[in-house]
Amino acid sequence: MSRSIENIVILTGAGISAESGIDTFRDAGGLWEQHRVEDVATPEGFARDPELVQRFYDMRRAAVQEVEPNPAHHALARLEREFPGELLLVTQNVDDLHERAGASPLHMHGELLSALCAICEARHRWTGTLIEGPPCPACAAKALRPDVVWFGEMPYQMDRIYRALASCDLFVSIGTSGAVYPAAGFVQEAKGHGAQTLELNLEPSEGSHWFDESRHGRAGELVPEWVGEVLTT
Ligand code: BV8
């Protein structure tokens, strides 16, 4: 990293949680090998077979409560605490491992531990199952769904993200395949506004060519090393 960095935007994906034992989507044995995306991560799939979708998210909601944050999550929480400039941590992940490491991520694709009422749009912290069709604590309607952004739905807080991308001087992508938009386009957005761009990933992502620098390896090693560099320059 050359000139002084005062404003960082970080985007994380499933790869940052892989070493905690959470399946990614597109790696071998990943979630999309066990389920067709169209069946479990679209509004149409939910309308077609709500029980299949609720079971898919109930299983993931339970699994995420059995695992722990890894050194990559802890390193980003340290960066949030110690970096003197502006920092926005955006995650595509729906797990709560960033929070449990002490960070405050923007969940652009929603959260496993939150239930959304399709009737009154209230959100509730939810650690149990939804398959039984429990009543919404706010309006009593039996219309709670996972508070997760499915394909074809608008990701959360996009205006805030684009404002941050327009004003950052460094954009860092960690543990994402660059397969899903609009997140996969953030690097181009940041670059277009003059930011430096860095990718930390197990292997080159689909968007690797957009990055000024790419480091390939496990997040549990690359992220603490990079955070150490940022905090000592
Ligand atoms: C939308 C929540 C618009 C559910 C998810 C062209 C342009 C714009 C949009 C589109 C387009 N073409 C198609 C679209 C629509 C679509 C899309 O992008 N489709 C793709 C498949 C082409 N996008 C959407 O529908 C989005 N909405 O565009 O709305 C709009 C506009 C106006 C009005 C209305 C709407 C919504 C997308 C959100 C979908 N929901 N998740 C859930 O979690 O169940 S996406 C899902 O994929 C996850 O959120 C995940 O985060 C995301 C991306 O996956 P990754 O995180 O990257 O995970 P993956 O397994 O792919 O990769 C893991 C990486 O980690 C790998 O590279 C691996 O090498 C690396 N890794 C592994 N281990 C490690 C590691 N790295 C480091 N260390 C390790 N140890």
Side-chain angles (χ1 to χ4, degrees):
M1 292 296 114
S2 54
R3 64 176 187 270
S4 79
I5 300 297
E6 290 162 12
N7 186 326
I8 304 175
V9 172
I10 296 172
L11 172 70
T12 63
I16 200 167
S17 298
E19 290 159 74
S20 295
I22 294 188
D23 286 345
T24 64
F25 292 88
R26 294 169 185 84
D27 289 323
L31 282 168
W32 295 155
E33 259 184 25
Q34 300 146 42
H35 298 277
R36 278 168 19 97
V37 172
E38 298 75 15
D39 293 340
V40 291
T42 62
E44 297 76 15
F46 184 58
R48 194 166 47 245
D49 188 345
E51 291 203 351
L52 170 73
V53 176
Q54 294 289 23
R55 248 194 299 280
F56 176 64
Y57 286 94
D58 284 354
M59 174 272 291
R60 290 172 64 195
R61 189 176 307 110
V64 80
Q65 299 175 69
E66 302 299 320
V67 297
E68 296 300 323
N70 66 57
H73 295 107
H74 288 293
L76 292 186
R78 177 192 171 207
L79 186 67
E80 270 198 11
R81 284 194 304 275
E82 299 177 20
F83 180 62
E86 288 280 306
L87 172 64
L88 176 64
L89 171 59
V90 181
T91 188
Q92 299 173 90
N93 300 340
V94 291
D95 64 54
D96 65 339
L97 295 180
H98 281 303
E99 288 87 335
R100 282 166 51 202
S104 315
L106 187 167
H107 281 278
M108 67 177 287
H109 289 163
E111 300 175 67
L112 277 173
L113 297 181
S114 173
L116 170 64
C117 178
I119 300 297
C120 74
E121 298 191 339
R123 286 180 162 82
H124 309 282
R125 177 163 173 79
W126 209 268
T127 54
T129 57
L130 289 171
I131 188 77
E132 306 82 3
C136 166
C139 75
K142 296 200 166 190
L144 290 175
R145 59 163 273 187
D147 182 11
V148 163
V149 176
W150 285 324
F151 287 95
E153 294 185 324
M154 180 57 95
Y156 296 151
Q157 302 191 56
M158 290 305 295
D159 293 344
R160 180 174 168 209
I161 295 170
Y162 281 118
R163 279 199 302 278
L165 292 169
S167 53
C168 72
D169 41 40
L170 175 62
F171 173 74
V172 187
S173 176
I174 302 172
T176 181
S177 61
V180 173
Y181 289 83
F186 290 174
V187 57
Q188 293 160 256
E189 197 66 32
K191 207 171 176 66
H193 287 93
Q196 294 178 72
T197 54
L198 168 66
E199 176 177 71
L200 307 177
N201 205 55
L202 193 63
E203 60 203 8
S205 72
E206 292 186 28
S208 257
H209 57 283
W210 289 107
F211 288 89
D212 299 316
E213 183 186 356
S214 284
R215 300 181 191 177
H216 298 134
R218 292 151 54 100
E221 288 137 30
L222 290 182
V223 180
E225 180 185 75
W226 170 70
V227 167
E229 285 171 22
V230 172
L231 293 178
T232 51
T233 49

